[in-house]
Amino acid sequence: RIRPEVIPAKEINVTFADIGALEETKESLQELVMLPLRRPDLFKGGLLKPCRGILLFGPPGTGKTMLAKAIAKEAGASFINVSMSTITSKWFGEDEKNVRALFTLAAKVSPTIIFVDEVDSMLGQRTRVGEHEAMRKIKNEFMAHWDGLLTRQNERILVLAATNRPFDLDEAIIRRFERRIMVGLPGAENREKIFRTLLGKEKVEDGLDFTELALMTEGYTGSDLKNLCTTAAYRPVRELIQQERLKDLERKQRVVEVQNKEDGTEER
Ligand code: ATP
């Protein structure tokens, strides 16, 4: 049977300090995750209900996985990363057993954050035409165990999930995520913060203008900024962006030239 990998809190290599910007998201996660996992006693009275499901949604590369890992570390929780491939098995009937095993394992190493990456592929639309029977079973099994967490409040397990396609999730799943947090593209101010975080420990050109860098990278995700910094390591970042822009221009010019040529050929 496939066994999902458990990362104990002390072995998680990402902290909140490594994440640039996203302050409000970090704060919300701290409130929602820390209390139920670290102080379950506060929920005994019944007035406060612990949150058992949080959905992070937004474009790829905006830091959702990173946030999930960092919050697990902060909360001292084990981190289990699951995806469709962790659950599916070539043996008929094994998928549901894998789901059961996942929750048993989570309870054993609790407090635990079960992180479902690309949740839409595992728990997507139930009504989709032609949906595989096996998929339906995985989903139902997952939901049943997840619901069980609500009745067994001393089990300190939380399901955190990420998706780029929130609209592919059906009502039943959306409802179980008591909190849905959008992780969007960073604006200029936040790109500057991300640059500062990424380059905080690097040797950079004296007087490097972070504000200007942020203005030059409109539309970049956190992941794009990380890639840019990695590529630019030990080279002035600014120079690289200029080159990238030139290349982009050249590329666009080439496309236009090719198109013109093709149009010309067709006419002949
Ligand atoms: P996907 O939907 O593709 O899985 P994601 O939203 O989960 O993407 P991550 O995998 O967390 O994004 O981000 C990819 C990488 O980009 C991270 O490992 C990190 O290096 C960098 N990154 C993204 N956002 C930030 C940020 N706010 N601060 C610092 N680094 C970031």
Side-chain angles (χ1 to χ4, degrees):
R1 178 159 318 150
I2 303 161
R3 215 180 143 82
E5 190 198 1
V6 180
I7 311 179
K10 61 178 186 315
E11 283 173 28
I12 296 174
N13 55 5
V14 183
T15 67
F16 270 168
D18 301 319
I19 306 176
L22 296 169
E23 278 92 3
E24 277 176 31
T25 315
K26 289 191 228 173
E27 254 169 52
S28 306
L29 284 176
Q30 265 166 326
E31 268 171 34
L32 293 165
V33 176
M34 303 286 256
L35 270 190
L37 293 187
R38 291 184 57 163
R39 294 289 309 275
D41 54 299
L42 294 178
F43 297 86
K44 288 226 165 87
L47 202 57
L48 269 183
K49 292 257 182 289
C51 179
R52 291 295 179 213
I54 304 170
L55 178 69
L56 300 174
F57 66 97
T62 43
K64 298 182 289 296
T65 308
M66 215 185 175
L67 280 163
K69 276 192 181 160
I71 190 64
K73 185 166 187 81
E74 291 249 330
S78 308
F79 184 79
I80 304 183
N81 195 341
V82 279
S83 61
M84 197 55 192
S85 57
T86 328
I87 299 296
T88 42
S89 154
K90 60 181 172 173
W91 307 112
F92 182 74
E94 284 286 292
D95 296 350
E96 292 148 83
K97 283 191 201 154
N98 283 339
V99 175
R100 205 174 316 140
L102 166 70
F103 280 87
T104 311
L105 180 65
K108 214 182 269 174
V109 296
S110 96
T112 308
I113 286 184
I114 297 178
F115 178 64
V116 190
D117 205 1
E118 294 181 9
V119 61
D120 48 280
S121 66
M122 193 165 115
L123 305 174
Q125 295 275 353
R126 280 202 295 181
T127 47
R128 203 184 281 158
V129 189
E131 185 185 18
H132 211 276
E133 176 65 7
M135 279 285 294
R136 202 183 53 78
K137 283 189 175 163
I138 290 179
K139 239 181 296 174
N140 287 342
E141 186 77 12
F142 195 96
M143 283 198 278
H145 286 281
W146 195 2
D147 290 346
L149 298 179
L150 292 174
T151 46
R152 300 186 303 276
Q153 299 212 347
N154 48 350
E155 254 178 44
R156 293 179 294 159
I157 301 172
L158 191 148
V159 177
L160 213 106
T163 181
N164 314 322
R165 309 157 66 99
F167 300 111
D168 283 359
L169 294 171
D170 64 274
E171 274 298 307
I173 297 293
I174 294 268
R175 223 179 321 115
R176 283 169 171 84
F177 289 112
E178 293 144 79
R179 288 297 295 268
R180 297 144 224 167
I181 303 173
M182 156 126 171
V183 187
L185 280 180
E189 208 177 300
N190 285 333
R191 289 197 299 276
E192 182 173 339
K193 285 183 189 161
I194 297 174
F195 267 124
R196 288 187 189 282
T197 309
L198 290 171
L199 297 172
K201 291 180 197 149
E202 301 294 328
K203 183 174 170 287
V204 294
E205 189 186 284
D206 278 344
L208 180 68
D209 189 344
F210 286 94
T211 314
E212 202 191 340
L213 280 180
L215 292 174
M216 291 167 95
T217 46
E218 198 185 333
Y220 280 51
T221 62
S223 175
D224 296 332
L225 297 180
K226 168 79 189 285
N227 290 339
L228 183 66
C229 290
T230 309
T231 320
Y234 307 112
R235 252 202 281 169
V237 178
R238 193 174 161 174
E239 194 184 294
L240 187 81
I241 294 174
Q242 298 284 21
Q243 284 172 4
E244 286 289 320
R245 279 185 152 184
L246 271 179
K247 262 195 240 157
D248 210 3
L249 263 181
E250 279 169 15
R251 247 197 312 270
K252 279 183 190 143
Q253 226 161 2
R254 270 205 302 276
V255 171
V256 172
E257 275 166 18
V258 169
Q259 269 171 356
N260 284 347
K261 240 189 221 165
E262 278 172 0
D263 290 344
T265 328
E266 271 169 23
E267 274 166 26
R268 257 181 265 135

